[in-house]
Amino acid sequence: SQQGEEDPQALSIQEGENATMNCSYKTSINNLQWYRQNSGRGLVHLILIRSNEREKHSGRLRVTLDTSKKSSSLLITASRAADTASYFCATDGKGAQKLVFGQGTRLTINP
Amino acid sequence: NAGVMQNPRHLVRRRGQEARLRCSPMKGHSHVYWYRQLPEEGLKFMVYLQKENIIDESGMPKERFSAEFPKEGPSILRIQQVVRGDSAAYFCASSLYTDTQYFGPGTRLTVL
């Protein structure tokens, strides 16, 4: 299975601090994507990083990818209360378009 | 450009009834995907369709579940003779090519 796993499962920090979430997967990938899901809502696409990329930035988000370790990290800098949500990584394999999601990290930003 | 649309947003069915979930992809997108999410879990892939074709149904249960994406109209996920274990959130996603998938708001199915 290509299942991704997020670490930690839950993270609680103070507003203004940085939040780091990690994701590991098992097989070769084409792309790795990060999504945010607010409670009871749909998924919002945050960022896509391709297998030949090592780092990508988007606003307060920084994503890294280490294909040798089959892992990725999502860093949210200067966190805000509105960042409170679950964050999922999802991978798609070579020759397959389906996304394989991890269990997610529940991030809570305390004001 | 409207995003992925799903309806209904909430659906309640009694055991044994049929559930029909609809998904309209983003304009211009011809790739549609269905995923299921159980409470406190990640999404699980069910099926990948292009117009009039099922490309990958490796995540679909063998019985009672079917999906279509006709030439005209939305994609439909159909669940026959629903059971309590079918209660979940069902998400549809679409993509222009085979990269970024954009998700709809989901349909929350409750089976009584």
Side-chain angles (χ1 to χ4, degrees):
Chain A
S1 157
Q2 190 177 298
Q3 183 178 7
E5 296 182 2
E6 279 94 344
D7 166 49
Q9 290 190 350
L11 178 62
S12 181
I13 61 174
Q14 294 300 119
E15 195 168 18
E17 293 180 339
N18 295 342
T20 300
M21 289 158 274
N22 303 296
C23 166
S24 61
Y25 56 92
K26 295 181 180 179
T27 60
S28 297
I29 63 169
N30 265 342
N31 307 300
L32 186 144
Q33 307 186 50
W34 284 91
Y35 288 86
R36 184 186 74 226
Q37 184 180 36
N38 290 84
S39 181
R41 309 290 288 272
L43 275 75
V44 174
H45 183 262
L46 296 176
I47 200 163
L48 178 152
I49 187 165
R50 302 190 187 282
S51 59
N52 62 352
E53 297 176 311
R54 292 296 166 259
E55 188 170 313
K56 211 162 181 180
H57 297 255
S58 177
R60 293 184 296 114
L61 305 180
R62 173 177 168 254
V63 168
T64 62
L65 179 64
D66 187 335
T67 52
S68 66
K69 295 181 180 178
K70 292 186 169 58
S71 67
S72 173
S73 67
L74 170 67
L75 168 68
I76 303 174
T77 60
S79 63
R80 305 168 181 169
D83 295 329
T84 294
S86 290
Y87 291 81
F88 295 92
C89 72
T91 56
D92 62 71
K94 297 185 188 300
Q97 278 68 55
K98 64 183 180 184
L99 292 179
V100 179
F101 283 82
Q103 294 292 91
T105 293
R106 288 188 302 281
L107 175 65
T108 302
I109 308 299
N110 302 303
Chain B
N1 186 10
V4 178
M5 300 178 68
Q6 290 187 248
N7 68 82
R9 295 290 303 277
H10 300 273
L11 182 61
V12 179
R13 285 288 178 266
R14 296 190 181 280
R15 282 179 295 169
Q17 292 184 321
E18 178 181 285
R20 280 185 179 239
L21 288 63
R22 295 174 183 76
C23 168
S24 296
M26 288 179 69
K27 187 176 181 180
H29 287 193
S30 60
H31 302 258
V32 167
Y33 315 79
W34 285 93
Y35 295 83
R36 178 166 61 178
Q37 184 180 34
L38 296 173
E40 307 300 324
E41 293 190 10
L43 279 69
K44 296 287 194 296
F45 168 80
M46 299 181 74
V47 63
Y48 161 40
L49 311 102
Q50 293 183 27
K51 283 288 186 181
E52 300 184 277
N53 290 303
I54 296 175
I55 307 301
D56 181 353
E57 56 182 347
S58 59
M60 286 280 270
K62 297 295 182 211
E63 298 177 346
R64 301 188 298 108
F65 285 72
S66 62
E68 63 176 8
F69 188 17
K71 187 177 181 180
E72 301 290 338
S75 175
I76 306 287
L77 179 67
R78 181 183 178 205
I79 311 172
Q80 295 179 289
Q81 299 175 330
V82 296
V83 301
R84 289 218 173 105
D86 296 332
S87 294
Y90 292 83
F91 290 95
C92 167
S94 74
S95 65
L96 180 60
Y97 301 112
T98 56
D99 47 19
T100 302
Q101 294 183 21
Y102 296 92
F103 283 78
T107 293
R108 277 149 188 84
L109 172 65
T110 301
V111 179
L112 301 178

